[in-house]
Amino acid sequence: MPRLFTGLEIPAEVGHTLSGLRGGLPGARWIDPENYHVTLRFIGDIDGASANEIASMLWRVNRKPFEVTVQGLSSFGGRKPRAVVANIAPSRPLIELQAELERLMQRIGLDPEGRKFVPHVTLARLHDASSQDVADYLSVRGYFPSRVFVAERFVLFSARASTGGGPYVVEDAYDLCPE
């Protein structure tokens, strides 16, 4: 039973920039750059028939390519930080694509996503990292010049059941087509 999600791939040159931010944070498990992505909709563990239905439904998405801006770092989890992330500027085309994917997943019977969409790239998962260590890390590494890339497709990823972080496999890709 595959664990699926839709997302945007991070180009190698942007991934290289982000990978340079690795290190210097106790309790961090750094994600390999080839597994960097922006999750658009987590789907979860799905049987084969449902996976095929999802894959075929995603072909209905008809959107144009758009710019994605990676800007700065932050953390998730507040006083018990659980991840260091690169922030993605929430542009209108990105928000609209995510909303369409959410509607499609609900149309085939999946429960609504319980969390608000906050576009990001997870760089590290944190285990027993203190909020002070994370704050210190972010104060040193948190700012870097924005990187912009054009999203020309979104993909359906699969992941093995684990604590996250990959490896992720592209099961199918869906081009964003200029009109």
Side-chain angles (χ1 to χ4, degrees), residues 38-92:
V38 179
T39 298
L40 296 171
R41 175 55 156 91
F42 181 73
I43 298 166
D45 296 323
I46 299 293
D47 63 69
S50 296
N52 289 336
E53 183 180 1
I54 289 166
S56 64
M57 182 168 271
L58 292 174
W59 288 108
R60 296 180 187 177
V61 174
N62 182 15
R63 301 222 166 242
K64 296 178 183 177
F66 58 92
E67 287 189 344
V68 177
T69 303
V70 183
Q71 56 184 30
L73 301 181
S74 61
S75 64
F76 286 168
R79 290 189 177 162
K80 286 202 56 110
R82 61 184 189 280
V84 170
V85 302
N87 303 314
I88 302 294
S91 67
R92 183 176 183 157

Side-chain angles (χ1 to χ4, degrees), residues 2-179:
R3 175 169 289 182
L4 299 176
F5 63 96
T6 58
L8 299 176
E9 299 161 296
I10 301 300
E13 63 276 4
V14 176
H16 180 72
T17 297
L18 295 175
S19 71
L21 302 169
R22 296 163 53 117
L25 180 56
R29 185 172 59 83
W30 298 96
I31 306 298
D32 292 331
E34 60 270 15
N35 289 311
Y36 291 161
H37 65 276
V38 179
T39 298
L40 296 171
R41 175 55 156 91
F42 181 73
I43 298 166
D45 296 323
I46 299 293
D47 63 69
S50 296
N52 289 336
E53 183 180 1
I54 289 166
S56 64
M57 182 168 271
L58 292 174
W59 288 108
R60 296 180 187 177
V61 174
N62 182 15
R63 301 222 166 242
K64 296 178 183 177
F66 58 92
E67 287 189 344
V68 177
T69 303
V70 183
Q71 56 184 30
L73 301 181
S74 61
S75 64
F76 286 168
R79 290 189 177 162
K80 286 202 56 110
R82 61 184 189 280
V84 170
V85 302
N87 303 314
I88 302 294
S91 67
R92 183 176 183 157
L94 175 61
I95 299 301
E96 289 176 349
L97 173 60
Q98 189 279 331
E100 181 173 359
L101 295 175
E102 177 65 32
R103 285 189 302 276
L104 288 172
M105 294 305 105
Q106 288 182 39
R107 190 174 301 153
I108 63 168
L110 295 180
D111 290 334
E113 175 63 57
R115 296 175 286 192
K116 180 179 185 253
F117 178 58
V118 178
H120 66 279
V121 178
T122 301
L123 302 181
R125 301 208 186 276
L126 305 177
H127 304 284
D128 298 324
S130 76
S131 56
Q132 185 60 56
D133 285 344
V134 173
D136 291 345
Y137 170 84
L138 293 174
S139 71
V140 171
R141 305 252 179 121
Y143 174 79
F144 58 90
S146 294
R147 297 295 308 261
V148 178
F149 67 93
V150 175
E152 295 179 345
R153 69 184 198 169
F154 70 95
V155 299
L156 180 62
F157 285 107
S158 67
R160 63 176 188 218
S162 69
T163 57
Y168 303 120
V169 175
V170 174
E171 296 293 339
D172 224 330
Y174 305 89
D175 289 338
L176 300 172
C177 300
E179 291 180 331

